[in-house]
Amino acid sequence: MAKVLIIGAGGVATVAAHKCAQNPDVFSEIVIASRTKSKCDALAKAIGKPNVITDRVDADQVPELVALFRRHNPDLVVNLALPYQDLTIMDACLECGISYLDTANYEPLDEAKYQYSWQWAYKKRFEDAGITAILGCGFDPGVSGVFTAYAAKHHFSEMQHLDIVDCNAGNHGKAFATNFNPEINIREITQRGKYYENGEWHETDPLSVHKPLTYPNIGPRESYLMYHEELESLVKNYPSITRARFWMTFGQEYLTHLRVIQNIGMASIVPINYNGQDIVPIQFLKAVLPNPKELGENYTGETSIGCRISGKDKEGKPLTYYIYNNCSHHEAYLETGMQAVSYTTGVPAMIGAMMYLKGIWKRPGVWNVEEFDPDPFMQQLNKQGLPWHEIINGDLEL
Ligand code: NDP
């Protein structure tokens, strides 16, 4: 029996809050706090349980966070706001002695730079305070790391090549929309590509390397090499990996819109002055794009995210291994009102919180998910709506 405090009331937080409420044996009290309290209230109303209460916080302000934590005294803070708030929330957790979990690594507002160094730098302070921080516990990062840890534990004596493959074969019927926060999403996709090979990082022009990959139950989809944050922790935690890459599918229509958005300067994070007011183009763009939270109703198709790994099995023989989950947008919507991208992020965030609150993933310090035992998490994925499948010695195409 424990109290969880969720920060944020967007698509991912909506799913996580619903899933926490479905598991009252672990989450006896749920507090949802965000910048706009009316969104927390609407979410609590949709859940419709007396153990869900709401509050308001500007998570950029450490004193406001500290006051919030002291008002509610939760056992765990689950940060489902934006990556910009990671460090302020971690600071407040340290001040109050409360453990922390998030789904995306810290990004400075004025620089789209993805690295764990800022959060890893908190390790000693979290250790000294006797509290746990679990970083990147969505799907990717998150389940991608747990899948890799599971492969290492049960199948491989030596993992050599790792390819994380992320396909959204859904159709929301809009000309252009992003599946999670548009600002964070466009910053991520428009950055230079990067992959790891033979001890070095190699950069590529944005979305310049691509090939068709075949996804289960979906078929071939053009997949683009991108940098993704979990590559950094996975090559560190599994030093036998000689090559690690991340691929994501995009449709031609999406890429054309993205190119126009970039060419006309709307993806810029540099403020411009318009009629005496400073405006960040990508933040203005977010305001006019469809809200990812509203996409669910007519969303058809499914996502398929997994890890394709090759190396040596426990006996030293060559092995290829593909582990993945497929998630239907419509089923996710029927259960939580959100589409599958929010669902596949919010469910693992809830499971990570459950792992901490049950004492299974509780260890003072700052950790990436693959540093914990994957087995109890994998069991919960099957129970909580994200079942996984394995293909042994199939063609990885990579
Ligand atoms: P949304 O934009 O839908 O929601 C973000 C929420 O955070 C909103 O409720 C927003 O409030 C709130 N918020 C923003 N700034 C503050 C602040 N200063 N103080 C308090 N609350 C604030 O985003 P998503 O739900 O789509 O994404 C949430 C997180 O999940 C992001 O960090 C994203 O990067 C991550 N993510 C991770 C994935 C993974 O697989 N690991 C995949 C997809 C997303 P308001 O409504 O007032 O703006």
Coordinates of all heavy atoms in Angstrom, one line a residue, residues 7-13 34-36 39 57-60 80-83 85 103-104 138-141 179-181 184 286 291 293 341-342 345, ligand 1:
I7 N 3.5 13.7 -11.8 CA 3.6 15.1 -12.2 C 3.3 15.1 -13.7 O 4.0 14.4 -14.5 CB 4.9 15.7 -11.9 CG1 5.1 15.6 -10.3 CG2 5.0 17.1 -12.3 CD1 6.4 16.3 -9.9
G8 N 2.4 15.9 -14.2 CA 2.0 16.0 -15.6 C 0.6 15.4 -15.7 O 0.1 14.6 -14.9
A9 N -0.1 15.9 -16.7 CA -1.5 15.4 -17.0 C -1.7 15.3 -18.5 O -2.8 15.5 -19.0 CB -2.5 16.4 -16.3
G10 N -0.7 15.0 -19.2 CA -0.7 14.8 -20.6 C -1.1 13.4 -21.0 O -1.7 12.6 -20.2
G11 N -0.8 13.0 -22.2 CA -1.2 11.6 -22.7 C -0.6 10.5 -21.9 O -1.3 9.5 -21.5
V12 N 0.7 10.6 -21.6 CA 1.4 9.5 -20.9 C 0.9 9.5 -19.5 O 0.6 8.4 -18.9 CB 2.9 9.8 -21.0 CG1 3.7 8.7 -20.1 CG2 3.4 9.7 -22.4
A13 N 0.8 10.6 -18.8 CA 0.3 10.6 -17.4 C -1.1 10.1 -17.3 O -1.5 9.4 -16.4 CB 0.3 12.1 -16.9
S34 N -0.1 19.0 -11.9 CA 0.5 19.5 -13.1 C 0.3 21.0 -13.1 O -0.2 21.6 -12.1 CB -0.2 18.9 -14.3 OG 0.4 19.2 -15.5
R35 N 0.8 21.6 -14.2 CA 0.8 23.1 -14.3 C -0.7 23.6 -14.4 O -1.0 24.6 -13.8 CB 1.6 23.5 -15.5 CG 1.8 24.9 -15.7 CD 2.8 25.2 -16.8 NE 2.6 24.4 -18.0 CZ 3.5 24.3 -19.0 NH1 4.6 24.9 -18.9 NH2 3.2 23.6 -20.1
T36 N -1.5 22.8 -15.1 CA -2.9 23.2 -15.3 C -3.8 22.3 -14.5 O -4.0 21.1 -14.9 CB -3.3 23.2 -16.8 OG1 -2.2 23.8 -17.6 CG2 -4.6 23.9 -17.1
K39 N -6.8 20.1 -15.9 CA -6.5 18.9 -16.7 C -6.4 17.7 -15.7 O -6.8 16.6 -16.0 CB -5.2 19.0 -17.5 CG -5.4 20.0 -18.6 CD -4.1 20.0 -19.5 CE -4.3 21.2 -20.5 NZ -3.0 21.3 -21.3
V57 N 1.1 22.4 -9.7 CA 2.5 22.7 -9.4 C 3.2 23.2 -10.7 O 2.8 22.8 -11.8 CB 3.3 21.5 -8.9 CG1 3.5 20.4 -10.0 CG2 4.6 21.9 -8.3
D58 N 4.1 24.2 -10.6 CA 4.9 24.5 -11.7 C 6.2 23.8 -11.4 O 7.0 24.2 -10.5 CB 5.2 26.0 -11.8 CG 6.2 26.4 -12.9 OD1 6.7 25.4 -13.5 OD2 6.4 27.6 -13.1
A59 N 6.5 22.7 -12.2 CA 7.6 21.8 -11.9 C 9.0 22.4 -12.3 O 10.0 21.8 -12.1 CB 7.4 20.5 -12.5
D60 N 9.0 23.7 -12.8 CA 10.2 24.3 -13.1 C 10.7 25.0 -11.8 O 11.9 25.4 -11.7 CB 10.1 25.4 -14.1 CG 9.9 24.8 -15.5 OD1 10.5 23.8 -15.8 OD2 9.0 25.3 -16.3
L80 N 6.1 12.7 -15.2 CA 5.5 12.5 -16.6 C 5.2 13.9 -17.2 O 4.3 14.0 -18.0 CB 4.3 11.6 -16.6 CG 4.6 10.2 -16.0 CD1 3.3 9.3 -16.0 CD2 5.7 9.5 -16.8
A81 N 6.0 14.9 -16.7 CA 5.9 16.2 -17.3 C 6.8 16.2 -18.5 O 6.9 15.2 -19.3 CB 6.2 17.3 -16.3
L82 N 7.6 17.2 -18.7 CA 8.5 17.2 -19.9 C 10.0 17.0 -19.5 O 10.3 17.3 -18.3 CB 8.3 18.5 -20.7 CG 6.9 18.7 -21.2 CD1 6.8 20.0 -22.0 CD2 6.5 17.5 -22.1
P83 N 10.9 16.6 -20.4 CA 12.3 16.4 -20.0 C 12.9 17.7 -19.3 O 13.9 17.5 -18.6 CB 12.9 16.1 -21.3 CG 11.9 15.6 -22.2 CD 10.6 16.3 -21.8
Q85 N 11.9 19.4 -17.0 CA 11.7 19.4 -15.5 C 12.5 18.4 -14.8 O 12.4 18.3 -13.5 CB 10.2 19.3 -15.3 CG 9.4 20.6 -15.5 CD 8.9 20.7 -16.9 OE1 8.4 19.8 -17.5 NE2 9.1 21.9 -17.5
T103 N 10.5 9.1 -17.7 CA 10.5 8.3 -18.9 C 11.3 9.0 -20.0 O 11.4 8.5 -21.1 CB 9.0 8.2 -19.5 OG1 8.6 9.6 -19.8 CG2 8.1 7.6 -18.5
A104 N 12.0 10.1 -19.7 CA 12.8 10.8 -20.8 C 13.9 11.5 -20.1 O 13.8 12.1 -19.1 CB 11.9 11.8 -21.5
G138 N 9.8 4.4 -19.9 CA 8.7 4.3 -20.8 C 8.8 3.1 -21.6 O 9.2 2.0 -21.1
F139 N 8.6 3.2 -23.0 CA 8.8 2.0 -23.8 C 10.2 2.1 -24.4 O 11.0 1.2 -24.2 CB 7.8 1.8 -24.9 CG 7.7 0.4 -25.3 CD1 6.6 -0.4 -24.9 CD2 8.7 -0.2 -26.0 CE1 6.5 -1.7 -25.3 CE2 8.6 -1.6 -26.4 CZ 7.5 -2.3 -26.0
D140 N 10.5 3.2 -25.1 CA 11.9 3.4 -25.6 C 12.3 4.8 -25.4 O 11.9 5.6 -26.2 CB 12.0 2.9 -27.1 CG 10.9 3.4 -28.0 OD1 9.8 3.8 -27.5 OD2 11.1 3.3 -29.2
P141 N 13.1 5.1 -24.4 CA 13.7 4.2 -23.4 C 12.7 3.6 -22.4 O 11.7 4.2 -22.1 CB 14.7 5.1 -22.7 CG 14.1 6.4 -22.7 CD 13.4 6.5 -24.0
N179 N 2.8 12.1 -32.1 CA 2.1 11.1 -31.2 C 2.4 11.4 -29.7 O 1.8 10.8 -28.9 CB 2.6 9.7 -31.5 CG 2.0 9.3 -32.9 OD1 0.8 9.1 -33.1 ND2 2.9 9.2 -33.9
F180 N 3.4 12.2 -29.5 CA 3.5 12.7 -28.1 C 4.0 14.2 -28.2 O 3.9 14.7 -29.3 CB 4.5 11.8 -27.2 CG 5.9 11.8 -27.7 CD1 6.9 12.6 -27.0 CD2 6.3 10.9 -28.6 CE1 8.2 12.5 -27.4 CE2 7.7 10.8 -29.0 CZ 8.6 11.7 -28.4
N181 N 4.2 14.8 -27.1 CA 4.5 16.2 -27.1 C 5.2 16.7 -28.4 O 6.3 16.3 -28.6 CB 5.3 16.6 -25.8 CG 5.4 18.1 -25.7 OD1 6.3 18.6 -26.4 ND2 4.7 18.7 -24.8
I184 N 8.9 18.2 -28.0 CA 9.9 17.2 -27.7 C 10.1 16.2 -28.9 O 11.2 15.9 -29.3 CB 9.4 16.3 -26.5 CG1 9.1 17.2 -25.3 CG2 10.5 15.3 -26.1 CD1 10.3 18.0 -24.7
K286 N 3.5 23.9 -31.7 CA 2.8 23.0 -30.8 C 1.4 23.4 -30.5 O 0.4 22.7 -30.5 CB 3.6 22.8 -29.5 CG 2.8 22.0 -28.4 CD 3.6 22.0 -27.1 CE 2.9 21.1 -26.1 NZ 1.9 21.8 -25.2
N291 N -3.6 18.1 -30.7 CA -3.1 17.7 -29.4 C -3.0 16.1 -29.4 O -4.0 15.4 -29.6 CB -4.0 18.1 -28.3 CG -3.6 17.7 -26.9 OD1 -2.7 16.9 -26.7 ND2 -4.2 18.3 -25.9
K293 N -3.1 14.1 -27.2 CA -4.0 13.4 -26.3 C -5.4 13.2 -27.0 O -6.2 12.4 -26.6 CB -4.3 14.4 -25.1 CG -3.5 14.1 -23.9 CD -3.8 15.1 -22.8 CE -5.0 14.8 -22.0 NZ -5.1 15.7 -20.9
V341 N 0.8 5.2 -28.5 CA 2.1 5.8 -28.1 C 2.1 6.2 -26.7 O 3.1 5.9 -25.9 CB 2.6 6.9 -29.1 CG1 3.9 7.5 -28.7 CG2 2.7 6.3 -30.5
S342 N 1.0 6.8 -26.3 CA 0.9 7.2 -24.8 C 0.8 5.9 -24.0 O 1.4 5.8 -22.9 CB -0.3 8.1 -24.6 OG -0.3 9.2 -25.4
T345 N 3.9 4.0 -23.3 CA 4.9 4.8 -22.4 C 4.3 4.7 -21.0 O 5.0 4.5 -20.0 CB 5.0 6.2 -22.9 OG1 5.3 6.2 -24.3 CG2 6.1 6.9 -22.1
Ligands
NDP1 P1 2.2 16.1 -23.0 O1 2.7 17.4 -23.6 O2 0.9 15.5 -23.4 O3 2.0 16.3 -21.4 C1 3.0 17.0 -20.6 C2 2.4 17.4 -19.3 O4 3.4 18.0 -18.5 C3 1.2 18.4 -19.5 O5 0.2 18.0 -18.6 C4 1.9 19.7 -19.1 O6 1.0 20.6 -18.5 C5 2.8 19.2 -18.0 N1 3.9 20.2 -17.8 C6 4.7 20.8 -18.7 N2 5.5 21.7 -18.1 C7 5.2 21.7 -16.8 C8 5.7 22.4 -15.7 N3 6.6 23.3 -15.8 N4 5.1 22.1 -14.5 C9 4.1 21.2 -14.3 N5 3.6 20.5 -15.4 C10 4.2 20.7 -16.6 O7 3.4 15.1 -23.1 P2 3.3 13.5 -23.1 O8 2.3 13.0 -22.1 O9 3.1 13.1 -24.5 O10 4.8 13.1 -22.7 C11 5.2 13.1 -21.3 C12 6.6 12.7 -21.2 O11 6.8 11.3 -21.7 C13 7.6 13.5 -22.0 O12 8.7 13.7 -21.2 C14 8.0 12.7 -23.2 O13 9.3 12.9 -23.6 C15 7.9 11.3 -22.5 N6 7.8 10.2 -23.5 C16 8.6 9.1 -23.4 C17 8.4 8.0 -24.2 C18 9.2 6.8 -24.0 O14 8.9 5.7 -24.6 N7 10.2 6.7 -23.1 C19 7.5 8.0 -25.4 C20 6.7 9.2 -25.4 C21 6.8 10.3 -24.5 P3 0.1 21.7 -19.4 O15 -1.0 20.8 -19.9 O16 -0.2 22.7 -18.5 O17 1.0 22.1 -20.5

